[in-house]
């Protein structure tokens, strides 16, 4: 639809995209959800790993056969060739279940690593490392954060890589490395430059085959969402062939930032699904619970929680769609992704919290998924850029916009309003 100024704003879905979204929804509801519920009821993940893996493998085969595979990758890599706006629909549908993104092979950290390899890998690296990720025969991790220094500031990274002929020798310490215990390779960030012109140019990316001598997984870190999944790694004289440098020397920061842009937005797409589930549950419960003479849904205090959650989820969706639109149109999306990441992460936490409140003791129990969702959601406010770091950058851009243009307009999404 064209407005009077000739600007096209159209939020309706093209029929083929509508059909795709419906297909993903049906697949998640009819195929993934029943298996997920059975796996959880039978505690297969902890009691029978072989049966658990067989169930998961079966789901992936079905997704592949349905053409619901790698929604974030181009068709030449076996993906669905979607833009980011289209991807938002698919990710949000897939993430309505815990296993959905994994079944479609668009889960973190592999999804971000695929983007990184696609854009920074050499043809040989792509064949060796990207191809099996896309095929679903390999899995990966991303190793940047260190216990001794603030992960929020990658210029402080202490893990070093020193060149020795045709190899690099790495020593250091990483932690919270998601998926490291299963990964076939890691994308590792290490300091290669002693005295770079810019502090951001000290680090370089490397691909590490796993297992490798010198890469010592010393423990699984227990977190508030349970044991395992995130490893602490001590790296001692790990030797990496020079051909496994990813990108150029000193470009690690750029590579990390490049990886995090679309990956952060993909998190937001999945978080929207979780927030929507929490809001659905909040409303459903409020319509069935009776106290002090009326249903909870009829009480103003509860209506405010529903209204606040509804408005916030609406904002989340608009922000994600707009940031995705900017990526698709080759526009600078840094600020929009940053604002979306901060806003969606916080809205997610608030909406789940309100839903727990409306459920009372039931919400605090593990009889509903809310408790687990809440434990997972807390991470969203500091990983992939802590709230305060995003706020710092957003403020810097707004101040710069005022200085440069005498207006903050470009900093608020550069929208035509
Ligand atoms: C579940 C989970 C999975 C993870 N997976 C991975 C992974 O796969 N790979 C990986 O490399 N890392 C991973 N991480 C680590 C994650 O990326 C870091 O936690 C994050 O980058 C923050 O670093 P930090 O924990 O060292 O916190 P710090 O950098 O020490 O920051 C702590 C707090 O300080 C405040 N702060 C920091 N800078 C500023 C500032 N400029 N102004 C104001 N306040 C500030 C913020 O409140 C921040 O939360 C994971 C973490 C978790 C919890």
């Amino acid at each position: 639809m064209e407005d009077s100024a000739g600007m096209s704003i159209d939020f309706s879905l093209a029929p083929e995209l509508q059909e795709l979204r419906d297909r993903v929804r049906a697949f998640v509801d009819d195929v993934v959800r029943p298996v997920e519920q059975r796996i959880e009821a039978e505690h297969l993940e902890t009691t029978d790993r072989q049966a658990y893996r067989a169930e998961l493998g079966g789901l992936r085969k079905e997704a592949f056969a349905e053409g619901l595979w790698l929604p974030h990758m181009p068709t030449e890599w076996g993906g669905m060739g979607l833009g980011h706006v289209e991807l938002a629909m698919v990710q949000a549908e897939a993430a309505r279940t815990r296993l959905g993104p994994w079944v479609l092979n668009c889960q973190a950290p592999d999804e971000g690593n695929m983007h990184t390899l696609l854009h920074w890998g050499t043809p040989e690296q792509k064949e060796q490392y990207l191809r099996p990720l896309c095929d679903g025969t390999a899995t990966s991790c991303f190793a940047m954060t260190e216990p001794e220094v603030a992960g929020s500031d990658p210029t402080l990274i202490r893990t070093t890589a020193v060149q020795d002929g045709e190899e690099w020798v790495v020593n250091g310490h990483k932690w919270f490395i998601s998926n490291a215990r299963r990964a076939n390779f890691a994308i590792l960030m290490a300091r290669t430059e002693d005295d770079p012109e810019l502090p951001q140019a000290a680090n370089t990316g490397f691909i590490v085959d796993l297992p490798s001598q010198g890469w010592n997984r010393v423990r699984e870190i227990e977190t508030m969402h349970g044991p395992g999944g995130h490893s602490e790694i001590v790296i001692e004289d790990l030797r990496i062939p020079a051909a496994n440098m990813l990108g150029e020397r000193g470009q690690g920061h750029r590579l990390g930032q490049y990886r995090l842009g679309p990956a952060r937005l993909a998190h937001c797409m999945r978080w929207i699904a979780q927030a929507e589930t929490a809001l659905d549950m909040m409303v459903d419960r409020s319509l069935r619970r009776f106290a002090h003479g009326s249903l909870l849904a009829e009480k103003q205090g509860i209506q405010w929680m529903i209204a606040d959650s509804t408005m916030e989820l609406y904002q989340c969706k608009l922000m994600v769609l707009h940031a995705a639109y900017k990526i698709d149109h080759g526009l600078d999306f840094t600020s929009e992704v940053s604002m979306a990441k901060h806003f969606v992460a916080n809205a997610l936490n608030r909406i789940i919290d309100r839903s727990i409140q409306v459920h009372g003791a039931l919400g605090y129990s593990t009889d509903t998924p809310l408790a687990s969702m809440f434990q997972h959601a807390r991470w969203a406010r500091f990983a992939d850029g802590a709230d305060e770091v995003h706020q710092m950058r957003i403020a810097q851009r707004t101040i710069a916009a005022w200085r440069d243009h005498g207006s903050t307009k470009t900093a608020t999404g550069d929208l035509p309003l």
Side-chain angles (χ1 to χ4, degrees):
M1 189 192 297
E2 297 272 304
D3 74 0
S4 56
M7 185 188 65
S8 163
I9 300 180
D10 187 352
F11 285 98
S12 60
L13 284 183
E16 58 276 15
L17 189 51
Q18 177 83 47
E19 188 267 337
L20 172 63
R21 196 184 64 174
D22 293 347
R23 268 200 313 131
V24 179
R25 179 170 296 189
F27 182 78
V28 167
D29 285 340
D30 303 341
V31 181
V32 180
R33 200 185 298 282
V35 175
E36 187 171 301
Q37 283 169 350
R38 196 173 64 247
I39 285 173
E40 276 163 18
E42 294 173 9
H43 304 290
L44 273 193
E45 192 169 355
T46 44
T47 58
D48 189 346
R49 292 292 300 178
Q50 212 175 342
Y52 175 71
R53 274 195 290 268
E55 292 277 14
L56 261 52
L59 286 175
R60 275 196 156 184
K61 276 195 190 125
E62 285 196 58
F64 189 78
E66 287 287 327
L68 302 178
W69 187 251
L70 293 175
H72 58 292
M73 290 297 281
T75 47
E76 59 268 32
W77 287 93
M80 291 164 71
L82 303 176
H84 284 80
V85 170
E86 299 163 324
L87 180 61
M89 320 283 164
V90 176
Q91 286 274 21
E93 288 300 332
R96 289 186 306 113
T97 56
R98 188 171 64 87
L99 294 175
W102 191 87
V103 172
L104 271 57
N105 199 5
C106 58
Q107 73 289 347
D110 287 333
E111 173 243 325
N113 286 347
M114 287 186 218
H115 278 299
T116 310
L117 287 165
L118 182 66
H119 290 278
W120 293 84
T122 62
E124 296 75 27
Q125 288 171 344
K126 287 182 192 176
E127 272 316 309
Q128 191 175 346
Y129 297 102
L130 178 58
R131 182 74 65 196
L133 274 191
C134 293
D135 292 345
T137 54
T139 186
S140 62
C141 62
F142 185 77
M144 184 153 91
T145 308
E146 303 180 353
E148 294 82 6
V149 290
S152 303
D153 184 355
T155 65
L156 302 173
I157 283 178
R158 287 192 189 161
T159 295
T160 56
V162 178
Q163 193 160 19
D164 180 19
E166 279 306 293
E167 290 179 321
W168 288 81
V169 183
V170 183
N171 283 282
H173 192 184
K174 300 284 179 186
W175 76 344
F176 279 94
I177 309 310
S178 306
N179 206 37
R181 67 178 165 176
R182 299 193 190 95
N184 302 90
F185 67 90
I187 294 181
L188 169 75
M189 288 296 144
R191 171 175 288 268
T192 50
E193 315 307 312
D194 284 336
D195 196 13
E197 263 181 41
L198 289 172
Q200 291 89 334
N203 303 327
T204 301
F206 294 93
I207 305 172
V208 183
D209 289 301
L210 296 180
S212 264
Q213 200 177 350
W215 173 279
N216 306 309
R217 198 162 52 79
V218 291
R219 68 165 173 145
E220 287 298 289
I221 302 166
E222 183 152 345
T223 68
M224 60 190 273
H225 67 246
H230 315 286
S231 310
E232 179 174 344
I233 316 283
V234 172
I235 304 173
E236 283 172 326
D237 293 330
L238 168 74
R239 301 188 84 84
I240 306 176
N244 278 25
M245 182 181 285
L246 185 58
E248 286 175 27
R249 200 171 157 163
Q251 285 196 337
H253 189 77
R254 284 187 60 205
L255 188 141
Q257 287 304 309
Y258 184 88
R259 177 185 186 278
L260 282 175
R264 277 182 185 135
L265 200 63
H267 276 314
C268 294
M269 295 169 189
R270 294 187 286 262
W271 294 337
I272 281 176
Q274 296 285 298
E276 192 155 80
T277 300
L279 178 57
D280 287 351
M281 291 178 69
M282 189 192 310
V283 175
D284 182 59
R285 183 71 178 171
S286 71
L287 284 168
R288 289 187 291 110
R289 199 68 165 171
F290 184 91
H292 302 113
S294 66
L295 288 170
L296 295 185
E298 292 164 48
K299 298 182 189 303
Q300 196 177 46
I302 302 295
Q303 288 170 355
W304 285 358
M305 283 197 248
I306 294 172
D308 287 347
S309 304
T310 304
M311 290 187 285
E312 287 171 15
L313 186 51
Y314 177 47
Q315 286 167 277
C316 290
K317 290 179 180 183
L318 287 177
M319 289 175 99
V320 167
L321 284 175
H322 186 234
Y325 167 93
K326 289 203 119 178
I327 299 179
D328 283 347
H329 285 77
L331 302 167
D332 183 8
F333 58 81
T334 325
S335 212
E336 287 71 19
V337 169
S338 200
M339 290 191 281
K341 195 272 169 182
H342 181 285
F343 189 84
V344 181
N346 282 272
L348 173 72
N349 276 273
R350 288 192 295 268
I351 295 171
I352 298 174
D353 184 50
R354 291 185 198 119
S355 193
I356 289 173
Q357 188 70 12
V358 171
H359 280 75
L362 175 63
Y364 195 72
S365 78
T366 54
D367 287 1
T368 83
L370 288 170
S372 162
M373 283 161 63
F374 200 37
Q375 286 166 319
H376 281 87
R378 187 60 188 85
W379 157 90
R381 288 193 46 219
F382 58 84
D384 283 2
D387 279 357
E388 295 78 5
V389 178
H390 284 292
Q391 285 168 295
M392 177 177 78
R393 298 275 178 243
I394 293 163
Q396 284 168 350
R397 288 190 204 101
T398 307
I399 293 164
W402 172 260
R403 286 213 174 108
D404 295 348
H405 312 296
S407 161
T408 58
K409 194 176 179 63
T410 52
T412 54
D414 203 12
L415 289 160
L417 278 177

